[in-house]
Amino acid sequence: MGAGHHHQLHLPGDSVVHRLPPQCKLLAVLAFAVVVVATPRERFWAFAAYAVLLAGVAVVARVPAAHIVRRMAIELPFVLFAFLIPVIGLGERTDVLGLSLSVPGLWAAWNILAKATLGVVASILLASTTEPRVILIGAQRLRLPSLLVQIAMFMLRYLDVIVDEMRRMRVARESRGFEARDFRQMPVLARSAGALFIRSYERGERVHLAMLSRGYTGQMPMIHDISASVGQWGTALALPVLALAVWALPW
């Protein structure tokens, strides 16, 4: 699929976590997320233990805490939604700092925040230690649907191309005196979006025809076949196994 592009999520490194095959890390994160979701919301210490496990992974992978915190901004909509639940929730109510809040809503908010935060941090650690194109190779190794993997590969490959096209269109509009100051400029922006869609569609057709002319049969060749040893599987699965051990403790 060509050379990889620079992605802000990925932090190049040579740690044990960086060197693990992508399929091992993908399965480990998925299994960890399943354990976290299956944990009853009342087990506060279990969630604290999960956070400690993720912190240990971050230390081993040498991923700075500031990098993780900045990337956690993607969780902001979930945080806002969680804070609204106790306010609009029904059932028994209690006073917190002078506010009347729903007790079931407080439990639901805690459940969402705890599990979503742990899942987001685990995903950030995966993205920080694995290049996006390598993650897709790992998805191929795990026998994910080939069509979905190929769509993701093309999206990753041509995302920068589409962004550059948008930038050129913006420069062209501004060089002609256009400024998007209010809703009156929306028709111009809508036409630009339509033109961008048509250009992207036509580019996709040209790329598809070029692939067919080079022997494409609906299956992408595996150029870099990344295999995993038993030891690497054991290292990667240590995270979900330890999380499962925490979950099984009689809290």
Side-chain angles (χ1 to χ4, degrees):
M1 293 303 300
H5 301 283
H6 172 72
H7 292 269
Q8 294 182 353
L9 281 176
H10 179 246
L11 290 177
D14 191 36
S15 68
V16 174
V17 182
H18 282 82
R19 292 194 298 268
L20 287 174
Q23 61 269 28
C24 300
K25 290 185 276 188
L26 276 173
L27 190 59
V29 170
L30 177 60
F32 176 79
V34 170
V35 174
V36 170
V37 171
T39 303
R41 62 190 183 185
E42 295 83 5
R43 296 188 178 182
F44 298 106
W45 289 107
F47 292 109
Y50 298 153
V52 171
L53 290 175
L54 290 178
V57 174
V59 171
V60 172
R62 296 193 286 274
V63 177
H67 175 84
I68 298 175
V69 172
R70 286 196 301 269
R71 271 61 186 180
M72 286 180 65
I74 193 174
E75 192 188 5
L76 185 59
F78 296 96
V79 174
L80 296 176
F81 176 71
F83 276 112
L84 284 176
I85 294 177
V87 177
I88 63 178
L90 303 177
E92 180 186 354
R93 305 190 76 82
T94 185
D95 289 335
V96 178
L97 299 178
L99 295 175
S100 177
L101 302 178
S102 167
V103 174
L106 287 171
W107 278 111
W110 157 252
N111 193 46
I112 292 174
L113 284 177
K115 295 180 179 180
T117 300
L118 290 170
V120 168
V121 172
S123 301
I124 291 173
L125 289 174
L126 172 64
S128 299
T129 58
T130 317
E131 293 183 23
R133 61 181 183 84
V134 179
I135 291 179
L136 293 176
I137 294 175
Q140 277 188 314
R141 293 288 302 179
L142 292 176
R143 300 294 188 269
L144 267 65
S146 176
L147 183 59
L148 292 180
V149 175
Q150 289 185 52
I151 291 174
M153 283 183 172
F154 283 113
M155 180 186 71
L156 175 65
R157 176 64 181 84
Y158 289 101
L159 182 61
D160 292 339
V161 177
I162 302 302
V163 171
D164 287 340
E165 189 75 24
M166 290 176 58
R167 187 179 300 110
R168 287 194 294 270
M169 294 175 69
R170 177 179 58 81
V171 171
R173 289 194 305 267
E174 293 177 353
S175 66
R176 291 164 175 80
F178 175 81
E179 293 184 14
R181 291 173 296 183
D182 51 47
F183 286 101
R184 290 178 296 179
Q185 281 76 39
M186 286 299 295
V188 177
L189 296 177
R191 287 193 291 271
S192 297
L196 179 64
F197 174 79
I198 292 174
R199 292 182 184 182
S200 302
Y201 186 83
E202 291 176 343
R203 184 189 298 273
E205 284 189 326
R206 293 195 299 269
V207 171
H208 183 246
L209 291 175
M211 292 171 61
L212 291 177
S213 67
R214 289 163 174 80
Y216 175 71
T217 59
Q219 186 73 29
M220 295 297 294
M222 182 77 74
I223 299 176
H224 301 289
D225 189 8
I226 303 176
S227 59
S229 65
V230 176
Q232 289 173 322
W233 276 110
T235 302
L237 294 179
L239 173 65
V241 168
L242 290 174
L244 185 60
V246 170
W247 177 85
L249 288 175
W251 296 94

